[in-house]
């Protein structure tokens, strides 16, 4: 349940224009499920939204190697 809560709070922060807060919650979700593709994609999106483009791109590429078609990784890679 905590994973879903962190993920949803992160999404709410991003929608409200607070990407740093979103990234913090998505990192907490990733810590709970380190191999979860959605959690990894959210962190990539958060990195991108906070201006950490290089780290975001590296993570997005790694995600797409494991899970081709992962939506957040595609958004990061093609923006």
């Amino acid at each position: 349940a905590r994973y879903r809560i962190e993920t949803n709070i992160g999404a709410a922060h991003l929608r409200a224009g607070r990407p740093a807060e979103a990234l913090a919650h998505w990192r907490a979700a990733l810590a709970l499920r380190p191999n979860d593709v959605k959690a990894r994609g959210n962190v990539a999106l958060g990195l991108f939204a906070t201006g950490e483009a290089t780290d975001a791109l590296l993570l997005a590429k790694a995600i797409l190697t494991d899970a081709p078609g992962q939506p957040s990784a595609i958004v990061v890679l093609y923006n």
Side-chain angles (χ1 to χ4, degrees):
R2 187 74 196 165
Y3 166 82
R4 180 168 258 171
I5 291 167
E6 294 291 351
T7 299
N8 290 341
I9 292 172
H13 278 298
L14 188 65
R15 283 192 301 274
R18 296 184 298 265
E21 290 86 347
L23 179 56
H25 285 279
W26 287 336
R27 282 183 166 149
L30 182 60
L32 295 169
R33 293 188 187 174
N35 297 318
D36 187 272
V37 175
K38 181 177 179 181
R40 293 172 67 207
N42 286 340
V43 169
L45 189 58
L47 288 168
F48 187 76
T50 57
E52 299 177 54
T54 301
D55 290 339
L57 289 171
L58 290 172
L59 182 54
K61 287 178 183 179
I63 292 165
L64 291 173
T65 298
D66 297 337
Q70 204 286 330
S72 296
I74 290 172
V75 167
V76 169
L77 200 58
Y78 293 103
N79 276 302

